[in-house]
Coordinates of all heavy atoms in Angstrom, one line a residue:
M262 N 10.2 -43.0 50.8 CA 10.2 -41.7 50.2 C 8.8 -41.1 49.9 O 8.5 -40.0 50.0 CB 11.0 -41.7 48.9 CG 12.4 -42.1 49.0 SD 13.3 -40.9 50.1 CE 14.8 -41.7 50.3
I263 N 7.9 -42.1 49.5 CA 6.5 -41.6 49.3 C 5.9 -41.1 50.6 O 5.1 -40.2 50.5 CB 5.7 -42.9 48.8 CG1 6.2 -43.4 47.5 CG2 4.2 -42.5 48.7 CD1 6.0 -42.4 46.3
Q264 N 6.4 -41.6 51.7 CA 5.9 -41.1 53.0 C 6.0 -39.6 53.1 O 5.1 -38.9 53.6 CB 6.6 -41.8 54.1 CG 6.3 -41.3 55.5 CD 7.2 -41.8 56.6 OE1 8.0 -42.7 56.4 NE2 7.1 -41.3 57.8
Y265 N 7.2 -39.1 52.7 CA 7.4 -37.7 52.8 C 6.5 -36.9 51.9 O 5.9 -35.9 52.3 CB 8.9 -37.3 52.5 CG 9.9 -37.9 53.5 CD1 10.9 -38.7 53.1 CD2 9.8 -37.5 54.8 CE1 11.8 -39.2 54.0 CE2 10.7 -38.0 55.8 CZ 11.7 -38.9 55.3 OH 12.6 -39.4 56.2
C266 N 6.5 -37.3 50.6 CA 5.8 -36.6 49.6 C 4.3 -36.5 49.8 O 3.7 -35.5 49.7 CB 6.1 -37.2 48.2 SG 5.3 -36.4 46.9
M267 N 3.7 -37.7 50.2 CA 2.3 -37.8 50.3 C 1.7 -37.6 51.7 O 0.5 -37.2 51.9 CB 1.8 -39.1 49.8 CG 2.1 -39.2 48.3 SD 1.5 -40.7 47.6 CE -0.2 -40.3 47.4
F268 N 2.5 -37.8 52.8 CA 2.0 -37.7 54.1 C 2.6 -36.7 55.0 O 1.9 -35.9 55.7 CB 2.1 -39.1 54.8 CG 1.4 -40.2 54.0 CD1 2.1 -41.2 53.4 CD2 0.0 -40.2 53.9 CE1 1.5 -42.2 52.7 CE2 -0.6 -41.2 53.2 CZ 0.1 -42.2 52.6
E269 N 3.9 -36.5 55.0 CA 4.6 -35.6 55.9 C 4.6 -34.2 55.4 O 4.2 -33.3 56.1 CB 6.1 -36.0 56.0 CG 6.3 -37.4 56.7 CD 5.8 -37.4 58.1 OE1 6.0 -36.5 58.8 OE2 5.2 -38.5 58.5
W270 N 5.0 -33.9 54.1 CA 5.1 -32.6 53.6 C 3.7 -31.9 53.4 O 3.6 -30.7 53.3 CB 5.9 -32.5 52.3 CG 7.3 -32.9 52.5 CD1 8.0 -32.9 53.7 CD2 8.2 -33.4 51.5 NE1 9.3 -33.4 53.4 CE2 9.4 -33.7 52.1 CE3 8.0 -33.7 50.2 CZ2 10.5 -34.2 51.4 CZ3 9.1 -34.2 49.4 CH2 10.3 -34.4 50.1
T271 N 2.7 -32.7 53.3 CA 1.3 -32.1 53.0 C 0.6 -31.7 54.3 O -0.4 -31.0 54.2 CB 0.4 -33.2 52.3 OG1 0.3 -34.3 53.1 CG2 1.0 -33.5 50.9
K272 N 1.1 -32.0 55.4 CA 0.5 -31.7 56.7 C 0.7 -30.2 57.1 O -0.2 -29.6 57.7 CB 1.1 -32.5 57.8 CG 0.6 -34.0 57.8 CD 1.3 -34.7 58.9 CE 1.0 -36.2 58.9 NZ 1.7 -36.9 59.9
E273 N 1.9 -29.7 56.8 CA 2.2 -28.3 57.3 C 2.5 -27.4 56.1 O 2.8 -27.8 55.0 CB 3.4 -28.4 58.2 CG 3.2 -29.2 59.4 CD 4.5 -29.3 60.2 OE1 5.4 -28.5 60.0 OE2 4.6 -30.2 61.1
K274 N 2.4 -26.1 56.4 CA 2.7 -25.1 55.4 C 4.2 -25.2 55.1 O 5.0 -25.3 56.1 CB 2.4 -23.7 55.9 CG 0.9 -23.4 56.0 CD 0.6 -22.0 56.4 CE 0.9 -21.8 57.9 NZ 0.5 -20.5 58.4
I275 N 4.6 -25.1 53.9 CA 6.0 -25.1 53.6 C 6.5 -23.7 53.4 O 7.7 -23.5 53.2 CB 6.4 -26.0 52.3 CG1 5.7 -25.5 51.1 CG2 6.0 -27.4 52.6 CD1 6.1 -26.2 49.8
R276 N 5.6 -22.7 53.4 CA 6.0 -21.3 53.3 C 5.0 -20.5 54.1 O 3.8 -21.0 54.3 CB 6.0 -20.9 51.9 CG 6.9 -19.7 51.6 CD 7.3 -19.5 50.2 NE 6.1 -19.1 49.4 CZ 6.1 -18.8 48.1 NH1 7.2 -19.0 47.4 NH2 5.0 -18.4 47.5
A277 N 5.3 -19.4 54.6 CA 4.5 -18.6 55.5 C 3.2 -18.1 54.8 O 2.2 -17.8 55.5 CB 5.3 -17.4 56.0
D278 N 3.2 -18.0 53.5 CA 2.0 -17.5 52.8 C 1.0 -18.6 52.5 O 0.3 -18.6 51.5 CB 2.3 -16.7 51.6 CG 3.1 -17.6 50.6 OD1 3.5 -18.7 50.9 OD2 3.2 -17.1 49.4
N279 N 0.8 -19.6 53.4 CA -0.1 -20.7 53.3 C 0.1 -21.6 52.1 O -0.8 -22.1 51.5 CB -1.6 -20.2 53.3 CG -2.0 -19.6 54.6 OD1 -1.5 -20.1 55.6 ND2 -2.8 -18.6 54.6
L280 N 1.3 -21.8 51.7 CA 1.7 -22.7 50.6 C 1.9 -24.1 51.2 O 2.7 -24.3 52.1 CB 3.0 -22.2 49.9 CG 3.5 -23.1 48.8 CD1 2.5 -23.2 47.6 CD2 4.8 -22.7 48.3
Y281 N 1.1 -25.1 50.7 CA 1.2 -26.5 51.0 C 1.8 -27.2 49.9 O 1.5 -26.9 48.7 CB -0.1 -27.0 51.4 CG -0.6 -26.5 52.8 CD1 -1.3 -25.3 52.9 CD2 -0.4 -27.3 53.9 CE1 -1.8 -24.9 54.1 CE2 -0.9 -26.8 55.1 CZ -1.6 -25.6 55.2 OH -2.0 -25.2 56.4
W282 N 2.6 -28.3 50.2 CA 3.1 -29.2 49.2 C 1.9 -30.0 48.6 O 1.2 -30.6 49.4 CB 4.2 -30.1 49.8 CG 4.8 -31.0 48.8 CD1 4.6 -32.4 48.8 CD2 5.7 -30.7 47.7 NE1 5.3 -32.9 47.7 CE2 6.0 -31.9 47.1 CE3 6.2 -29.6 47.2 CZ2 6.8 -32.0 46.0 CZ3 7.1 -29.6 46.1 CH2 7.4 -30.8 45.5
P283 N 1.8 -30.1 47.3 CA 0.7 -30.9 46.7 C 0.9 -32.4 47.0 O 2.0 -32.9 47.0 CB 0.8 -30.6 45.2 CG 1.6 -29.4 45.1 CD 2.5 -29.3 46.3
E284 N -0.2 -33.1 47.2 CA -0.1 -34.5 47.6 C 0.7 -35.4 46.6 O 1.4 -36.3 47.0 CB -1.5 -35.1 47.8 CG -1.5 -36.5 48.4 CD -2.8 -36.9 48.7 OE1 -3.6 -36.1 49.2 OE2 -3.1 -38.1 48.5
F285 N 0.6 -35.1 45.3 CA 1.3 -35.9 44.3 C 2.6 -35.1 43.8 O 3.1 -35.5 42.7 CB 0.4 -36.2 43.2 CG -0.7 -37.1 43.6 CD1 -2.0 -36.6 43.8 CD2 -0.5 -38.4 43.9 CE1 -3.0 -37.4 44.2 CE2 -1.5 -39.3 44.4 CZ -2.8 -38.8 44.5
G286 N 3.1 -34.2 44.5 CA 4.3 -33.5 44.1 C 4.0 -32.4 43.1 O 2.9 -32.1 42.7
S287 N 5.1 -31.7 42.8 CA 5.0 -30.6 41.8 C 6.3 -30.5 41.1 O 7.4 -30.8 41.6 CB 4.7 -29.3 42.5 OG 4.7 -28.2 41.6
F288 N 6.3 -30.1 39.8 CA 7.5 -29.8 39.1 C 7.7 -28.4 38.8 O 8.6 -28.0 38.0 CB 7.5 -30.6 37.8 CG 7.4 -32.1 38.0 CD1 6.3 -32.8 37.6 CD2 8.4 -32.7 38.6 CE1 6.3 -34.2 37.8 CE2 8.4 -34.1 38.9 CZ 7.3 -34.8 38.4
E289 N 6.9 -27.5 39.5 CA 7.1 -26.1 39.3 C 8.3 -25.7 40.2 O 8.4 -26.0 41.4 CB 5.9 -25.3 39.8 CG 4.7 -25.5 38.8 CD 3.6 -24.6 39.1 OE1 3.8 -23.5 39.4 OE2 2.4 -25.1 39.0
D290 N 9.3 -25.0 39.6 CA 10.5 -24.6 40.3 C 10.3 -23.9 41.6 O 10.9 -24.2 42.6 CB 11.4 -23.8 39.3 CG 12.8 -23.5 39.9 OD1 13.4 -24.5 40.4 OD2 13.2 -22.4 39.7
W291 N 9.4 -22.9 41.6 CA 9.3 -22.1 42.8 C 8.7 -22.9 44.0 O 9.1 -22.7 45.1 CB 8.4 -20.9 42.6 CG 7.0 -21.2 42.2 CD1 6.5 -21.5 40.9 CD2 5.9 -21.1 43.1 NE1 5.1 -21.7 41.0 CE2 4.7 -21.5 42.3 CE3 5.7 -20.9 44.4 CZ2 3.5 -21.6 42.8 CZ3 4.4 -21.0 45.0 CH2 3.3 -21.3 44.2
I292 N 7.8 -23.9 43.7 CA 7.3 -24.7 44.8 C 8.4 -25.7 45.3 O 8.5 -25.9 46.5 CB 6.1 -25.5 44.3 CG1 4.9 -24.5 44.0 CG2 5.6 -26.5 45.3 CD1 3.7 -25.2 43.4
C293 N 9.1 -26.3 44.4 CA 10.2 -27.2 44.7 C 11.3 -26.5 45.6 O 11.8 -27.0 46.5 CB 10.9 -27.8 43.5 SG 9.7 -28.8 42.6
Q294 N 11.6 -25.2 45.2 CA 12.5 -24.5 46.0 C 12.0 -24.1 47.4 O 12.7 -24.2 48.4 CB 13.0 -23.2 45.3 CG 13.8 -23.6 44.1 CD 14.6 -22.4 43.5 OE1 14.7 -21.3 44.2 NE2 15.1 -22.5 42.3
A295 N 10.7 -23.8 47.5 CA 10.1 -23.6 48.8 C 10.1 -24.8 49.7 O 10.4 -24.7 50.9 CB 8.6 -23.1 48.6
L296 N 9.9 -26.0 49.1 CA 10.0 -27.2 49.8 C 11.4 -27.5 50.3 O 11.6 -27.8 51.5 CB 9.5 -28.4 48.9 CG 9.8 -29.8 49.5 CD1 8.8 -30.0 50.6 CD2 9.7 -30.8 48.4
N297 N 12.4 -27.2 49.5 CA 13.7 -27.5 49.9 C 14.1 -26.5 51.0 O 14.8 -27.0 52.0 CB 14.7 -27.2 48.7 CG 15.9 -28.0 48.8 OD1 16.4 -28.3 49.9 ND2 16.5 -28.4 47.6
L298 N 13.7 -25.3 51.0 CA 14.0 -24.4 52.1 C 13.3 -24.8 53.4 O 13.9 -24.8 54.5 CB 13.5 -23.0 51.8 CG 14.4 -22.2 50.8 CD1 13.7 -20.9 50.4 CD2 15.8 -21.9 51.4
Y299 N 12.1 -25.3 53.2 CA 11.3 -25.8 54.4 C 12.0 -27.0 55.1 O 12.2 -27.0 56.3 CB 9.9 -26.1 54.0 CG 9.1 -27.0 54.9 CD1 8.6 -26.4 56.1 CD2 8.9 -28.3 54.7 CE1 7.9 -27.2 57.0 CE2 8.2 -29.1 55.6 CZ 7.7 -28.6 56.7 OH 7.0 -29.3 57.6
V300 N 12.4 -28.0 54.2 CA 13.0 -29.2 54.8 C 14.3 -28.9 55.4 O 14.6 -29.4 56.5 CB 13.1 -30.2 53.6 CG1 14.0 -31.4 54.1 CG2 11.8 -30.7 53.2
N301 N 15.1 -28.0 54.8 CA 16.5 -27.8 55.3 C 16.5 -26.8 56.5 O 17.5 -26.7 57.2 CB 17.4 -27.3 54.2 CG 17.7 -28.4 53.2 OD1 18.0 -29.5 53.6 ND2 17.6 -28.1 52.0
S302 N 15.4 -26.1 56.8 CA 15.3 -25.2 57.9 C 14.5 -25.8 59.1 O 14.3 -25.1 60.1 CB 14.7 -23.9 57.5 OG 13.4 -24.0 57.1
K303 N 14.1 -27.0 59.0 CA 13.4 -27.7 60.1 C 14.3 -27.8 61.3 O 15.6 -27.9 61.2 CB 13.0 -29.1 59.8 CG 11.7 -29.2 59.0 CD 11.4 -30.6 58.8 CE 10.0 -30.8 58.3 NZ 9.7 -32.3 58.1
E304 N 13.7 -27.7 62.5 CA 14.5 -27.8 63.7 C 15.2 -29.2 63.9 O 16.3 -29.3 64.3 CB 13.6 -27.5 65.0 CG 14.4 -27.4 66.3 CD 13.5 -27.0 67.4 OE1 12.7 -26.1 67.2 OE2 13.6 -27.6 68.5
H305 N 14.5 -30.2 63.5 CA 15.0 -31.6 63.6 C 15.4 -32.0 62.2 O 14.6 -32.5 61.4 CB 14.0 -32.5 64.2 CG 13.6 -32.2 65.6 ND1 14.4 -32.3 66.6 CD2 12.4 -31.7 66.0 CE1 13.8 -32.0 67.7 NE2 12.6 -31.5 67.4
F306 N 16.6 -31.7 61.8 CA 17.1 -31.9 60.5 C 17.2 -33.4 60.2 O 17.7 -34.2 61.1 CB 18.5 -31.3 60.3 CG 19.1 -31.5 58.9 CD1 18.6 -30.7 57.9 CD2 20.1 -32.4 58.7 CE1 19.1 -30.9 56.6 CE2 20.6 -32.6 57.4 CZ 20.1 -31.8 56.4
N307 N 16.8 -33.9 59.1 CA 16.8 -35.3 58.7 C 17.5 -35.4 57.3 O 17.0 -34.8 56.3 CB 15.4 -35.8 58.6 CG 15.3 -37.3 58.2 OD1 16.2 -37.8 57.6 ND2 14.2 -37.9 58.5
Q308 N 18.7 -36.0 57.3 CA 19.5 -36.1 56.1 C 18.7 -36.8 54.9 O 18.8 -36.3 53.8 CB 20.8 -36.8 56.4 CG 21.7 -36.9 55.2 CD 22.3 -35.5 54.8 OE1 22.5 -34.6 55.7 NE2 22.5 -35.3 53.5
E309 N 18.0 -37.9 55.2 CA 17.3 -38.6 54.2 C 16.2 -37.7 53.6 O 16.1 -37.7 52.3 CB 16.7 -39.9 54.8 CG 15.9 -40.7 53.8 CD 15.2 -41.8 54.4 OE1 14.4 -41.6 55.4 OE2 15.4 -43.0 53.9
E310 N 15.5 -37.0 54.4 CA 14.4 -36.1 53.9 C 15.0 -35.0 53.1 O 14.4 -34.6 52.0 CB 13.6 -35.6 55.1 CG 12.5 -34.7 54.7 CD 11.7 -34.2 56.0 OE1 12.2 -34.4 57.1 OE2 10.6 -33.7 55.7
S311 N 16.1 -34.5 53.5 CA 16.8 -33.4 52.8 C 17.2 -33.8 51.4 O 17.1 -33.1 50.4 CB 17.9 -32.8 53.6 OG 18.6 -31.9 52.9
E312 N 17.8 -35.0 51.3 CA 18.3 -35.6 50.0 C 17.1 -35.8 49.1 O 17.2 -35.6 47.9 CB 19.1 -36.8 50.3 CG 20.4 -36.6 50.9 CD 21.1 -37.9 51.3 OE1 20.6 -39.0 51.1 OE2 22.3 -37.8 51.8
Y313 N 16.0 -36.3 49.6 CA 14.8 -36.6 48.8 C 14.2 -35.2 48.3 O 13.8 -35.1 47.1 CB 13.8 -37.4 49.6 CG 12.6 -37.7 48.7 CD1 12.7 -38.4 47.5 CD2 11.3 -37.3 49.1 CE1 11.6 -38.7 46.7 CE2 10.2 -37.6 48.3 CZ 10.3 -38.3 47.2 OH 9.3 -38.6 46.4
A314 N 14.1 -34.2 49.2 CA 13.6 -32.9 48.7 C 14.5 -32.3 47.6 O 14.0 -31.7 46.7 CB 13.5 -32.0 49.9
A315 N 15.8 -32.6 47.7 CA 16.7 -32.0 46.7 C 16.4 -32.7 45.3 O 16.7 -32.1 44.3 CB 18.2 -32.2 47.1
L316 N 15.9 -33.9 45.3 CA 15.6 -34.5 44.0 C 14.5 -33.8 43.2 O 14.5 -33.9 42.0 CB 15.2 -36.0 44.2 CG 16.2 -37.0 44.7 CD1 15.6 -38.3 45.0 CD2 17.3 -37.1 43.7
W317 N 13.7 -33.1 43.9 CA 12.6 -32.4 43.2 C 13.1 -31.1 42.6 O 12.4 -30.5 41.7 CB 11.5 -32.0 44.2 CG 10.7 -33.2 44.6 CD1 10.9 -34.0 45.7 CD2 9.6 -33.8 43.9 NE1 10.0 -35.0 45.7 CE2 9.2 -34.9 44.6 CE3 8.9 -33.4 42.8 CZ2 8.1 -35.7 44.2 CZ3 7.8 -34.2 42.4 CH2 7.4 -35.3 43.1
L318 N 14.3 -30.6 42.9 CA 14.8 -29.4 42.3 C 15.3 -29.7 40.9 O 15.8 -30.7 40.6 CB 16.0 -28.9 43.1 CG 15.7 -28.3 44.5 CD1 16.9 -28.0 45.2 CD2 14.8 -27.1 44.3
P319 N 15.1 -28.7 40.0 CA 15.6 -28.9 38.6 C 17.1 -28.9 38.6 O 17.7 -28.2 39.4 CB 15.0 -27.7 37.8 CG 14.7 -26.7 38.8 CD 14.4 -27.5 40.1
K320 N 17.7 -29.7 37.7 CA 19.2 -29.8 37.7 C 19.8 -28.8 36.7 O 21.0 -28.9 36.4 CB 19.6 -31.2 37.3 CG 19.0 -32.3 38.1 CD 19.9 -32.6 39.3 CE 19.5 -33.8 40.0 NZ 18.7 -33.6 41.2
G321 N 19.0 -27.9 36.2 CA 19.6 -26.9 35.2 C 19.4 -27.3 33.8 O 18.9 -28.4 33.5
G322 N 19.7 -26.5 32.9 CA 19.6 -26.9 31.5 C 18.2 -26.7 30.9 O 17.9 -27.1 29.9
G323 N 17.3 -26.0 31.7 CA 16.0 -25.7 31.3 C 15.0 -26.8 31.5 O 13.9 -26.6 32.0
E324 N 15.3 -28.0 31.1 CA 14.3 -29.1 31.2 C 14.4 -29.8 32.6 O 15.5 -29.9 33.2 CB 14.6 -30.2 30.1 CG 13.6 -31.2 30.0 CD 13.8 -32.2 28.9 OE1 14.3 -31.8 27.8 OE2 13.6 -33.4 29.1
K325 N 13.3 -30.2 33.1 CA 13.2 -30.8 34.4 C 13.9 -32.1 34.4 O 13.5 -33.0 33.6 CB 11.7 -31.0 34.8 CG 11.6 -31.7 36.2 CD 12.0 -30.8 37.3 CE 11.7 -31.5 38.6 NZ 12.4 -30.8 39.7
E326 N 15.0 -32.3 35.2 CA 15.7 -33.6 35.2 C 15.6 -34.2 36.6 O 16.3 -35.1 36.9 CB 17.2 -33.3 34.8 CG 17.4 -32.8 33.4 CD 18.8 -32.5 33.2 OE1 19.7 -32.8 34.0 OE2 19.1 -31.9 32.1
G327 N 14.8 -33.6 37.5 CA 14.8 -34.2 38.8 C 13.9 -35.4 38.9 O 13.7 -36.1 37.9
C328 N 13.4 -35.7 40.0 CA 12.5 -36.8 40.3 C 11.2 -36.7 39.6 O 10.7 -35.6 39.5 CB 12.4 -36.9 41.8 SG 11.3 -38.3 42.3
S329 N 10.6 -37.7 39.2 CA 9.2 -37.7 38.7 C 8.5 -39.0 39.1 O 9.1 -40.0 39.1 CB 9.2 -37.5 37.2 OG 9.8 -38.7 36.6
L330 N 7.3 -38.8 39.5 CA 6.5 -40.0 40.0 C 6.1 -40.8 38.8 O 6.1 -42.1 38.9 CB 5.3 -39.5 40.8 CG 5.6 -38.8 42.0 CD1 4.3 -38.3 42.7 CD2 6.3 -39.7 43.0
Y331 N 5.7 -40.3 37.7 CA 5.2 -41.0 36.6 C 6.0 -40.5 35.4 O 5.6 -39.7 34.6 CB 3.8 -40.8 36.4 CG 3.0 -41.2 37.6 CD1 2.4 -40.2 38.4 CD2 2.8 -42.5 37.9 CE1 1.7 -40.5 39.5 CE2 2.1 -42.8 39.1 CZ 1.5 -41.9 39.9 OH 0.8 -42.2 41.0
P332 N 7.2 -41.1 35.1 CA 8.0 -40.6 34.0 C 7.3 -40.9 32.7 O 6.8 -42.0 32.5 CB 9.3 -41.4 34.1 CG 9.0 -42.6 35.0 CD 7.8 -42.2 35.8
L333 N 7.2 -39.9 31.8 CA 6.5 -40.1 30.5 C 7.5 -40.1 29.4 O 8.5 -39.4 29.5 CB 5.5 -38.9 30.3 CG 4.4 -38.8 31.4 CD1 3.6 -37.5 31.2 CD2 3.6 -40.0 31.4
Q334 N 7.2 -40.8 28.4 CA 8.1 -40.8 27.2 C 7.7 -39.7 26.2 O 6.5 -39.5 26.0 CB 8.0 -42.1 26.5 CG 8.6 -43.2 27.2 CD 8.6 -44.5 26.3 OE1 7.9 -44.6 25.3 NE2 9.4 -45.5 26.7
T335 N 8.6 -39.0 25.7 CA 8.3 -38.0 24.6 C 8.2 -38.8 23.3 O 8.5 -39.9 23.2 CB 9.4 -37.0 24.5 OG1 10.6 -37.6 24.1 CG2 9.6 -36.2 25.8
K336 N 7.6 -38.1 22.3 CA 7.5 -38.7 21.0 C 8.8 -39.2 20.4 O 8.9 -40.2 19.8 CB 6.8 -37.8 20.0 CG 5.4 -37.5 20.4 CD 4.7 -36.5 19.4 CE 3.3 -36.2 19.8 NZ 2.7 -35.3 18.8
G337 N 9.8 -38.4 20.7 CA 11.2 -38.7 20.2 C 11.7 -40.0 20.8 O 12.3 -40.8 20.2
Q338 N 11.5 -40.1 22.1 CA 12.0 -41.3 22.8 C 11.2 -42.5 22.4 O 11.8 -43.6 22.2 CB 11.8 -41.1 24.3 CG 12.7 -40.1 25.0 CD 12.3 -39.9 26.4 OE1 11.2 -40.0 26.8 NE2 13.4 -39.5 27.2
A339 N 9.9 -42.4 22.2 CA 9.1 -43.6 21.7 C 9.5 -44.0 20.3 O 9.6 -45.2 20.0 CB 7.6 -43.2 21.7
A340 N 9.8 -43.0 19.4 CA 10.3 -43.3 18.0 C 11.6 -44.0 18.1 O 11.8 -45.0 17.3 CB 10.3 -42.0 17.2
R341 N 12.5 -43.5 18.9 CA 13.8 -44.2 19.0 C 13.7 -45.6 19.5 O 14.4 -46.5 19.0 CB 14.8 -43.4 20.0 CG 15.8 -42.5 19.2 CD 16.8 -41.9 20.1 NE 16.1 -40.6 20.6 CZ 16.0 -40.2 21.8 NH1 16.4 -41.0 22.8 NH2 15.4 -39.1 22.1
R342 N 12.8 -45.8 20.5 CA 12.6 -47.1 21.0 C 12.1 -48.1 20.0 O 12.5 -49.2 19.8 CB 11.7 -47.1 22.2 CG 11.5 -48.4 22.9 CD 10.3 -48.5 23.8 NE 9.1 -48.6 23.0 CZ 8.0 -47.9 23.1 NH1 8.0 -46.9 24.0 NH2 7.0 -48.0 22.3
D343 N 11.1 -47.5 19.1 CA 10.6 -48.4 18.1 C 11.6 -48.7 17.0 O 11.6 -49.8 16.4 CB 9.4 -47.7 17.4 CG 8.2 -47.6 18.4 OD1 8.2 -48.4 19.4 OD2 7.3 -46.8 18.2
Q344 N 12.5 -47.8 16.7 CA 13.6 -48.0 15.7 C 14.5 -49.1 16.2 O 15.0 -49.9 15.4 CB 14.3 -46.7 15.4 CG 13.6 -45.7 14.6 CD 14.3 -44.4 14.5 OE1 15.3 -44.2 15.1 NE2 13.8 -43.5 13.6
L345 N 14.8 -49.1 17.5 CA 15.8 -50.1 18.0 C 15.1 -51.4 18.3 O 15.8 -52.4 18.5 CB 16.3 -49.5 19.3 CG 17.2 -48.2 19.2 CD1 17.6 -47.8 20.6 CD2 18.4 -48.5 18.3
K346 N 13.8 -51.5 18.3 CA 13.2 -52.8 18.6 C 13.4 -53.7 17.4 O 13.2 -53.5 16.3 CB 11.6 -52.5 18.7 CG 10.9 -53.8 19.1 CD 9.4 -53.4 19.2 CE 8.6 -54.7 19.6 NZ 7.2 -54.4 19.6
L347 N 13.9 -54.9 17.8 CA 14.2 -56.0 16.8 C 12.9 -56.6 16.4 O 11.9 -56.6 17.1 CB 15.2 -57.0 17.4 CG 16.5 -56.5 17.9 CD1 17.3 -57.5 18.6 CD2 17.3 -55.9 16.7
W348 N 13.0 -57.2 15.2 CA 11.8 -57.9 14.6 C 11.5 -59.1 15.5 O 12.4 -59.9 15.7 CB 12.1 -58.2 13.2 CG 10.9 -58.8 12.5 CD1 9.9 -58.1 11.9 CD2 10.6 -60.2 12.3 NE1 9.0 -59.0 11.4 CE2 9.4 -60.3 11.6 CE3 11.2 -61.4 12.7 CZ2 8.8 -61.5 11.3 CZ3 10.6 -62.6 12.3 CH2 9.4 -62.6 11.6
D349 N 10.3 -59.2 16.0 CA 9.9 -60.3 16.8 C 8.9 -61.2 16.0 O 7.8 -60.6 15.7 CB 9.3 -59.8 18.1 CG 9.0 -60.9 19.1 OD1 9.3 -62.1 18.8 OD2 8.6 -60.6 20.2
P350 N 9.1 -62.4 15.8 CA 8.2 -63.3 15.0 C 6.8 -63.4 15.7 O 5.8 -63.5 15.1 CB 8.9 -64.6 14.9 CG 10.0 -64.6 15.8 CD 10.3 -63.2 16.2
L351 N 6.8 -63.2 17.0 CA 5.5 -63.3 17.7 C 4.6 -62.1 17.4 O 3.4 -62.2 17.6 CB 5.7 -63.4 19.2 CG 6.4 -64.7 19.7 CD1 6.7 -64.7 21.2 CD2 5.7 -66.0 19.2
D352 N 5.2 -61.0 17.0 CA 4.4 -59.8 16.6 C 3.7 -60.0 15.3 O 2.9 -59.2 14.9 CB 5.3 -58.6 16.6 CG 5.7 -58.2 17.9 OD1 5.1 -58.6 18.9 OD2 6.7 -57.4 18.0
H353 N 4.1 -61.0 14.5 CA 3.6 -61.2 13.1 C 3.0 -62.6 12.9 O 3.1 -63.2 11.9 CB 4.8 -61.0 12.1 CG 5.4 -59.7 12.3 ND1 4.9 -58.5 11.8 CD2 6.6 -59.3 12.9 CE1 5.7 -57.5 12.1 NE2 6.7 -58.0 12.8
L354 N 2.3 -63.1 13.9 CA 1.6 -64.4 13.8 C 0.4 -64.2 12.9 O -0.3 -63.2 12.9 CB 1.2 -64.9 15.2 CG 2.3 -65.3 16.1 CD1 1.7 -65.6 17.5 CD2 3.1 -66.5 15.6
P355 N 0.0 -65.3 12.2 CA -1.2 -65.3 11.4 C -2.4 -65.3 12.3 O -2.3 -65.7 13.4 CB -1.1 -66.5 10.5 CG -0.2 -67.4 11.3 CD 0.8 -66.5 12.0
P356 N -3.6 -64.8 11.8 CA -4.8 -64.8 12.6 C -5.1 -66.3 13.0 O -4.8 -67.2 12.3 CB -5.8 -64.2 11.7 CG -5.2 -63.9 10.4 CD -3.8 -64.3 10.4
P357 N -5.8 -66.4 14.1 CA -6.2 -67.8 14.6 C -7.2 -68.4 13.7 O -8.0 -67.8 13.0 CB -6.7 -67.6 16.0 CG -7.0 -66.1 16.1 CD -6.2 -65.4 15.0

């Protein structure tokens, strides 16, 4: 999949107005939609490539729920993770 994002899609314009796919992807809706149109209108249709391009599209609901290369935790997610973390005796060892 990285092959498409970093090597294939960056070679050619994905839209007539000189728009190229960024090497590390994009989460901007208009660029993701342009990529999806480009991939699905290719002469040699590739199902795997089309499915991967569709992952970059937002799934609705306002917040980006598609693919992300480097998923980040929000403050709320980190706080929830810390609350659920069980007490570990190795975290409370005396100094050496």
Side-chain angles (χ1 to χ4, degrees):
M262 301 297 171
I263 298 291
Q264 172 189 354
Y265 294 122
C266 182
M267 297 184 77
F268 302 110
E269 298 295 322
W270 296 337
T271 57
K272 289 180 187 176
E273 300 176 14
K274 295 184 281 188
I275 61 172
R276 204 165 68 182
D278 61 349
N279 292 327
L280 177 65
Y281 287 85
W282 179 252
E284 188 171 322
F285 295 106
S287 174
F288 297 117
E289 293 188 38
D290 185 42
W291 66 276
I292 295 177
C293 296
Q294 289 195 16
L296 171 72
N297 208 330
L298 286 171
Y299 164 73
V300 168
N301 289 317
S302 63
K303 279 184 167 181
E304 188 173 315
H305 300 288
F306 182 77
N307 181 337
Q308 183 67 32
E309 179 186 54
E310 184 179 10
S311 177
E312 289 172 0
Y313 182 58
L316 290 175
W317 287 93
L318 291 172
K320 304 270 190 264
E324 189 176 322
K325 177 71 178 167
E326 297 176 10
C328 179
S329 63
L330 295 175
Y331 303 106
L333 302 174
Q334 288 185 348
T335 63
K336 289 180 183 179
Q338 289 172 331
R341 257 186 274 125
R342 186 195 74 229
D343 291 341
Q344 288 173 350
L345 296 175
K346 184 178 178 184
L347 299 175
W348 186 83
D349 187 359
L351 295 177
D352 290 340
H353 303 283
L354 291 174

